[in-house]
Amino acid sequence: QNLSAIFLHIFMQTMQHMPSISMLLLQQLVLITVFGGTAIVHPVVFADDVTEPAIVMVSGMGERNGTINTTKMDVKTTTTMPEPREDECVHHGSGVASVISPYNVSTTIERVLDVVRNAGFTVFARVNHAQLAHDANLFLLPNEVVMFGSPAGGTPFMQDSALMGIDLPLKAHAHEDTDGVVHLSWNEPSYMTTRHGVSADDAMESRTTRMTVMLEQLMNEAVKGE
Protein backbone atom coordinates (compact mmCIF):
# COMPACT_ATOMS: atom_id res chain seq x y z
CA GLN A 1 0.00 0.00 0.00
CA ASN A 2 2.94 2.33 0.69
CA LEU A 3 4.14 1.65 -2.86
CA SER A 4 0.73 2.65 -4.21
CA ALA A 5 0.77 5.87 -2.21
CA ILE A 6 4.24 6.74 -3.51
CA PHE A 7 3.22 5.95 -7.10
CA LEU A 8 0.08 8.08 -6.84
CA HIS A 9 2.04 10.98 -5.35
CA ILE A 10 4.50 10.90 -8.26
CA PHE A 11 1.67 10.69 -10.78
CA MET A 12 -0.24 13.56 -9.18
CA GLN A 13 2.87 15.75 -9.33
CA THR A 14 3.30 14.88 -13.01
CA MET A 15 -0.36 15.72 -13.70
CA GLN A 16 0.10 19.09 -12.02
CA HIS A 17 3.30 20.15 -13.75
CA MET A 18 3.18 18.25 -17.07
CA PRO A 19 -0.47 17.55 -17.89
CA SER A 20 0.10 16.94 -21.60
CA ILE A 21 2.69 14.25 -20.88
CA SER A 22 0.48 12.80 -18.17
CA MET A 23 -2.45 12.44 -20.56
CA LEU A 24 -0.24 10.35 -22.86
CA LEU A 25 0.76 8.18 -19.94
CA LEU A 26 -2.84 7.73 -18.87
CA GLN A 27 -3.54 5.54 -21.86
CA GLN A 28 -1.11 2.88 -20.64
CA LEU A 29 -1.21 3.53 -16.88
CA VAL A 30 -1.60 0.78 -14.29
CA LEU A 31 -1.46 0.96 -10.53
CA ILE A 32 0.59 -1.54 -8.56
CA THR A 33 -0.71 -2.31 -5.11
CA VAL A 34 1.09 -4.41 -2.54
CA PHE A 35 -0.81 -6.78 -0.31
CA GLY A 36 1.11 -8.92 2.13
CA GLY A 37 4.29 -8.68 0.09
CA THR A 38 2.55 -9.62 -3.19
CA ALA A 39 2.44 -7.04 -6.00
CA ILE A 40 -0.91 -6.91 -7.81
CA VAL A 41 -1.35 -4.86 -11.00
CA HIS A 42 -4.70 -3.11 -11.43
CA PRO A 43 -5.65 -1.19 -14.60
CA VAL A 44 -6.78 2.39 -14.25
CA VAL A 45 -10.47 3.05 -14.87
CA PHE A 46 -11.34 6.36 -16.51
CA ALA A 47 -14.39 8.58 -16.53
CA ASP A 48 -16.17 9.20 -19.85
CA ASP A 49 -14.53 12.60 -20.26
CA VAL A 50 -10.84 11.96 -20.93
CA THR A 51 -9.98 15.50 -19.85
CA GLU A 52 -11.22 14.71 -16.34
CA PRO A 53 -10.15 11.12 -15.69
CA ALA A 54 -11.08 9.24 -12.55
CA ILE A 55 -8.57 6.85 -11.06
CA VAL A 56 -9.97 3.86 -9.20
CA MET A 57 -7.41 2.69 -6.66
CA VAL A 58 -7.49 -0.67 -4.98
CA SER A 59 -7.28 0.29 -1.33
CA GLY A 60 -7.47 -3.13 0.22
CA MET A 61 -8.36 -6.75 -0.38
CA GLY A 62 -10.66 -8.64 1.93
CA GLU A 63 -8.64 -11.60 3.21
CA ARG A 64 -11.70 -13.73 3.93
CA ASN A 65 -13.91 -13.37 0.89
CA GLY A 66 -11.45 -12.10 -1.69
CA THR A 67 -13.40 -8.90 -2.30
CA ILE A 68 -11.69 -5.69 -3.43
CA ASN A 69 -12.47 -2.39 -1.76
CA THR A 70 -12.12 0.60 -4.11
CA THR A 71 -11.82 4.31 -3.61
CA LYS A 72 -12.55 6.73 -6.47
CA MET A 73 -10.37 9.82 -6.81
CA ASP A 74 -11.18 12.57 -9.29
CA VAL A 75 -8.12 14.02 -10.97
CA LYS A 76 -8.51 17.39 -12.67
CA THR A 77 -6.20 18.29 -15.52
CA THR A 78 -5.56 21.50 -17.44
CA THR A 79 -5.81 19.92 -20.89
CA THR A 80 -9.36 21.09 -21.68
CA MET A 81 -9.12 23.54 -24.58
CA PRO A 82 -11.18 26.73 -24.35
CA GLU A 83 -13.89 27.29 -26.93
CA PRO A 84 -12.74 29.65 -29.72
CA ARG A 85 -14.27 33.11 -29.89
CA GLU A 86 -16.46 34.03 -32.82
CA ASP A 87 -13.71 36.26 -34.21
CA GLU A 88 -10.88 33.81 -33.59
CA CYS A 89 -9.42 31.92 -36.54
CA VAL A 90 -8.68 28.28 -35.74
CA HIS A 91 -6.02 26.43 -37.74
CA HIS A 92 -6.80 22.73 -37.59
CA GLY A 93 -3.41 21.45 -38.68
CA SER A 94 -4.93 19.66 -41.68
CA GLY A 95 -4.79 22.59 -44.07
CA VAL A 96 -8.15 23.98 -42.97
CA ALA A 97 -8.83 27.22 -41.09
CA SER A 98 -12.16 28.12 -39.47
CA VAL A 99 -14.04 30.83 -37.66
CA ILE A 100 -17.28 30.50 -35.72
CA SER A 101 -20.25 32.28 -37.26
CA PRO A 102 -23.03 33.86 -35.19
CA TYR A 103 -25.40 33.28 -38.12
CA ASN A 104 -27.06 30.15 -39.46
CA VAL A 105 -25.42 28.34 -42.37
CA SER A 106 -27.57 29.88 -45.10
CA THR A 107 -27.05 33.42 -43.82
CA THR A 108 -23.34 32.80 -43.35
CA ILE A 109 -23.00 31.71 -46.97
CA GLU A 110 -25.04 34.69 -48.18
CA ARG A 111 -22.69 36.99 -46.27
CA VAL A 112 -19.67 35.23 -47.79
CA LEU A 113 -21.12 35.77 -51.25
CA ASP A 114 -21.62 39.46 -50.50
CA VAL A 115 -18.08 40.07 -49.24
CA VAL A 116 -16.32 38.15 -52.03
CA ARG A 117 -18.37 39.87 -54.73
CA ASN A 118 -17.69 43.25 -53.15
CA ALA A 119 -13.98 42.37 -53.20
CA GLY A 120 -14.16 41.81 -56.97
CA PHE A 121 -14.21 38.00 -57.05
CA THR A 122 -16.36 35.88 -59.33
CA VAL A 123 -18.71 33.34 -57.72
CA PHE A 124 -18.62 30.11 -59.73
CA ALA A 125 -20.87 27.79 -57.75
CA ARG A 126 -22.89 27.25 -54.60
CA VAL A 127 -23.66 23.74 -53.37
CA ASN A 128 -26.19 22.99 -50.63
CA HIS A 129 -25.11 19.55 -49.40
CA ALA A 130 -27.95 19.31 -46.87
CA GLN A 131 -30.57 19.97 -49.54
CA LEU A 132 -29.01 17.39 -51.85
CA ALA A 133 -29.02 14.88 -48.98
CA HIS A 134 -32.70 15.66 -48.34
CA ASP A 135 -33.47 15.10 -52.03
CA ALA A 136 -31.90 11.66 -51.68
CA ASN A 137 -34.03 10.90 -48.59
CA LEU A 138 -31.03 11.30 -46.30
CA PHE A 139 -30.43 13.62 -43.37
CA LEU A 140 -27.55 16.03 -43.08
CA LEU A 141 -27.15 19.01 -40.78
CA PRO A 142 -26.93 22.37 -42.64
CA ASN A 143 -23.87 22.19 -44.85
CA GLU A 144 -23.00 24.41 -47.82
CA VAL A 145 -19.97 25.34 -49.89
CA VAL A 146 -19.28 28.10 -52.39
CA MET A 147 -16.52 28.38 -54.99
CA PHE A 148 -15.14 31.76 -55.93
CA GLY A 149 -11.98 33.32 -57.28
CA SER A 150 -10.19 35.43 -59.84
CA PRO A 151 -8.44 34.05 -62.95
CA ALA A 152 -5.81 36.77 -62.58
CA GLY A 153 -5.06 35.60 -59.05
CA GLY A 154 -5.32 31.85 -59.49
CA THR A 155 -3.71 31.31 -62.89
CA PRO A 156 -0.09 31.98 -61.76
CA PHE A 157 -0.41 29.16 -59.21
CA MET A 158 -1.63 26.74 -61.89
CA GLN A 159 1.11 27.89 -64.27
CA ASP A 160 3.58 26.82 -61.60
CA SER A 161 1.76 23.58 -60.77
CA ALA A 162 -1.18 22.43 -62.88
CA LEU A 163 -2.49 20.30 -59.99
CA MET A 164 -3.44 23.50 -58.16
CA GLY A 165 -6.53 23.28 -60.36
CA ILE A 166 -7.86 20.60 -57.98
CA ASP A 167 -8.06 23.14 -55.16
CA LEU A 168 -8.91 26.19 -57.22
CA PRO A 169 -11.23 28.08 -57.40
CA LEU A 170 -11.15 28.97 -53.73
CA LYS A 171 -13.85 27.52 -51.49
CA ALA A 172 -15.70 28.65 -48.39
CA HIS A 173 -17.59 25.99 -46.47
CA ALA A 174 -20.17 26.49 -43.71
CA HIS A 175 -21.67 23.75 -41.58
CA GLU A 176 -23.60 23.38 -38.36
CA ASP A 177 -22.27 20.90 -35.82
CA THR A 178 -24.29 18.74 -33.44
CA ASP A 179 -24.16 21.47 -30.80
CA GLY A 180 -25.76 23.97 -33.16
CA VAL A 181 -22.53 25.92 -33.67
CA VAL A 182 -21.88 27.16 -37.21
CA HIS A 183 -18.32 27.00 -38.57
CA LEU A 184 -17.04 28.83 -41.62
CA SER A 185 -13.98 27.09 -43.06
CA TRP A 186 -11.57 27.39 -45.98
CA ASN A 187 -8.40 25.77 -47.31
CA GLU A 188 -5.19 27.43 -46.21
CA PRO A 189 -3.17 28.61 -49.23
CA SER A 190 0.14 27.45 -47.75
CA TYR A 191 -1.28 23.94 -47.45
CA MET A 192 -2.41 23.96 -51.07
CA THR A 193 0.90 25.23 -52.44
CA THR A 194 2.88 22.71 -50.38
CA ARG A 195 0.53 19.92 -51.37
CA HIS A 196 1.02 20.57 -55.07
CA GLY A 197 4.71 21.46 -54.99
CA VAL A 198 4.39 25.10 -55.95
CA SER A 199 7.76 26.82 -56.20
CA ALA A 200 9.02 28.30 -52.95
CA ASP A 201 10.58 31.35 -54.60
CA ASP A 202 9.95 34.84 -53.28
CA ALA A 203 7.33 35.69 -55.91
CA MET A 204 5.14 32.64 -55.20
CA GLU A 205 5.56 32.90 -51.45
CA SER A 206 4.47 36.53 -51.67
CA ARG A 207 1.37 35.52 -53.63
CA THR A 208 0.60 32.79 -51.08
CA THR A 209 0.95 35.20 -48.17
CA ARG A 210 -1.33 37.76 -49.84
CA MET A 211 -3.93 35.09 -50.52
CA THR A 212 -3.74 33.88 -46.90
CA VAL A 213 -4.29 37.36 -45.48
CA MET A 214 -7.04 38.12 -47.98
CA LEU A 215 -8.99 34.94 -47.21
CA GLU A 216 -8.83 35.43 -43.46
CA GLN A 217 -9.97 39.04 -43.81
CA LEU A 218 -12.89 38.09 -46.07
CA MET A 219 -14.07 35.23 -43.85
CA ASN A 220 -13.85 37.34 -40.71
CA GLU A 221 -15.80 40.09 -42.45
CA ALA A 222 -18.52 37.57 -43.35
CA VAL A 223 -19.05 36.46 -39.73
CA LYS A 224 -18.70 39.90 -38.15
CA GLY A 225 -21.66 40.79 -35.96
CA GLU A 226 -24.01 43.59 -36.89
Side-chain angles (χ1 to χ4, degrees):
Q1 290 175 330
N2 290 336
L3 179 59
S4 296
I6 293 172
F7 183 90
L8 181 62
H9 175 74
I10 294 173
F11 177 70
M12 292 288 288
Q13 291 297 312
T14 307
M15 290 286 287
Q16 180 179 357
H17 298 292
M18 294 181 292
S20 60
I21 295 177
S22 300
M23 290 306 294
L24 294 175
L25 294 175
L26 283 175
Q27 299 177 23
Q28 302 296 329
L29 184 65
V30 293
L31 289 180
I32 301 176
T33 314
V34 177
F35 298 105
T38 302
I40 304 175
V41 179
H42 303 283
V44 174
V45 180
F46 299 98
D48 291 337
D49 185 356
V50 72
T51 63
E52 296 185 359
I55 295 178
V56 178
M57 286 187 58
V58 175
S59 60
M61 178 175 286
E63 296 180 357
R64 296 182 180 179
N65 56 18
T67 59
I68 297 176
N69 302 318
T70 62
T71 301
K72 182 176 179 180
M73 300 182 63
D74 290 327
V75 180
K76 302 294 185 180
T77 75
T78 58
T79 57
T80 302
M81 298 299 292
E83 289 296 322
R85 303 186 310 271
E86 288 181 354
D87 60 346
E88 182 177 2
C89 179
V90 176
H91 301 271
H92 298 282
S94 58
V96 176
S98 298
V99 289
I100 292 176
S101 174
Y103 309 101
N104 63 32
V105 167
S106 179
T107 301
T108 298
I109 290 297
E110 289 292 343
R111 291 177 64 88
V112 169
L113 294 175
D114 286 343
V115 297
V116 298
R117 283 171 175 146
N118 289 338
F121 291 97
T122 300
V123 175
F124 298 105
R126 176 178 181 174
V127 179
N128 187 331
H129 292 300
Q131 182 61 52
L132 293 173
H134 176 76
D135 294 344
N137 296 317
L138 297 170
F139 174 76
L140 185 66
L141 288 170
N143 191 317
E144 294 191 48
V145 64
V146 294
M147 292 189 291
F148 64 95
S150 163
T155 299
F157 289 97
M158 290 182 284
Q159 288 174 331
D160 191 277
S161 173
L163 284 174
M164 278 290 291
I166 294 176
D167 286 318
L168 296 175
L170 298 171
K171 301 174 185 68
H173 174 266
H175 79 280
E176 179 183 316
D177 65 22
T178 55
D179 294 322
V181 178
V182 174
H183 305 264
L184 176 61
S185 307
W186 61 96
N187 288 323
E188 295 186 279
S190 60
Y191 170 82
M192 294 188 289
T193 56
T194 300
R195 178 187 182 193
H196 301 302
V198 172
S199 301
D201 58 38
D202 290 344
M204 294 310 297
E205 286 195 354
S206 177
R207 287 180 181 275
T208 302
T209 298
R210 292 199 302 272
M211 184 186 292
T212 299
V213 173
M214 175 271 299
L215 276 174
E216 190 163 333
Q217 288 177 340
L218 291 175
M219 298 305 107
N220 276 306
E221 178 68 21
V223 301
K224 186 171 65 175
E226 298 293 347

